Amino acid sequence: EDQVTQSPEALRLQEGESSSLNCSYTVSGLRGLFWYRQDPGKGPEFLFTLYSAGEEKEKERLKATLTKKESFLHITAPKPEDSATYLCAVQARAAAGNKLTFGGGTRVLVKP
Amino acid sequence: KAGVTQTPRYLIKTRGQQVTLSCSPISGHRSVSWYQQTPGQGLQFLFEYFSETQRNKGNFPGRFSGRQFSNSRSEMNVSTLELGDSALYLCASSFRETQYFGPGTRLLVL
């Protein structure tokens, strides 16, 4: 069974204080690993897809990396508007369709 | 391009009732998936439809069902509602493997 574990559960940062979020996964053949951002009361917003170990993607202050067992989301010099819950999900090659298995998320609060 | 839309946005029902939620995917997307999000269980996959056929199903009881129409719009139905069905129900559409989520329908069962 595919499993995704995210750590830490919550993270409090000062504005400008860089940090990393971890996503550990076990999956029967990875088709893709996805990062989403979710604001309270809203649906998840797509950030990145990573397909193979060694791959990196960047968007503004966010950078996602992937190894064979985990992914990291690095937040560089965060601003208060980066406060959100960050969700990691995997898609298995063996699964029919686009089913995503999600981790529990990391709640990030950036204080000015 | 307009995003995924879901209606209604909020619903209050009582135990034993049934409910139907609606989802309109992004134009051109033929795959629609449904997820349930609760504080205790997080985001859990319900089912996926592609070209009006159920392509995959999660581990939910048969009270949860769905369908997809020829214009790719989808509905999900929950019969005989239980208190534990209170959740945010999210719909996502995709063209290839990346799923784009709607704002969700917040269901409260009293």
Side-chain angles (χ1 to χ4, degrees):
Chain A
E1 186 181 323
D2 305 332
Q3 284 194 319
V4 181
T5 304
Q6 292 188 245
S7 62
E9 286 187 12
L11 195 57
R12 291 168 66 103
L13 300 171
Q14 285 296 127
E15 185 172 0
E17 178 189 0
S18 301
S19 188
S20 294
L21 283 54
N22 178 265
C23 170
S24 298
Y25 65 90
T26 54
V27 64
S28 51
L30 180 71
R31 175 142 64 103
L33 184 140
F34 300 80
W35 283 98
Y36 289 86
R37 168 199 169 117
Q38 187 174 26
D39 293 303
K42 296 189 175 181
E45 175 189 344
F46 170 71
L47 292 172
F48 305 109
T49 308
L50 301 166
Y51 297 101
S52 57
E55 191 174 359
E56 299 182 352
K57 294 259 177 89
E58 277 188 76
K59 178 180 178 179
E60 295 180 0
R61 295 175 293 283
L62 301 177
K63 179 180 175 179
T65 61
L66 181 65
T67 72
K68 287 187 177 178
K69 292 185 177 181
E70 55 191 352
S71 176
F72 293 93
L73 184 66
H74 308 277
I75 311 179
T76 302
K79 298 183 178 182
E81 53 261 43
D82 295 321
S83 298
T85 296
Y86 291 86
L87 297 161
C88 170
V90 296
Q91 208 170 65
R93 204 175 292 132
N98 295 327
K99 172 189 173 183
L100 290 172
T101 300
F102 279 88
T106 295
R107 287 190 320 277
V108 174
L109 176 64
V110 183
K111 300 209 133 194
Chain B
K1 241 184 197 181
V4 177
T5 58
Q6 292 187 244
T7 56
R9 294 294 313 279
Y10 304 93
L11 263 181
I12 300 175
K13 293 285 187 178
T14 55
R15 278 185 302 172
Q17 287 188 309
Q18 76 164 14
V19 67
T20 299
L21 312 181
S22 182
C23 171
S24 292
I26 294 170
S27 177
H29 289 192
R30 292 166 64 191
S31 165
V32 174
S33 298
W34 290 89
Y35 293 82
Q36 181 195 65
Q37 186 173 31
T38 59
Q41 300 297 318
L43 265 154
Q44 293 187 290
F45 173 77
L46 281 157
F47 29 66
E48 179 188 5
Y49 287 86
F50 180 83
S51 292
E52 302 179 66
T53 301
Q54 188 178 83
R55 184 152 75 170
N56 204 343
K57 189 177 189 303
N59 297 324
F60 279 82
R63 301 184 297 106
F64 292 82
S65 62
R67 59 178 177 167
Q68 187 180 34
F69 302 95
S70 57
N71 61 358
S72 293
R73 193 176 68 82
S74 177
E75 288 181 348
M76 68 162 280
N77 184 78
V78 188
S79 62
T80 320
L81 283 165
E82 300 177 0
L83 296 179
D85 297 333
S86 294
L88 181 66
Y89 289 88
L90 292 159
C91 166
S93 76
S94 53
F95 176 68
R96 291 204 173 97
E97 69 278 355
T98 300
Q99 296 195 359
Y100 298 90
F101 285 82
T105 294
R106 172 79 60 187
L107 172 65
L108 177 61
V109 182
L110 301 175

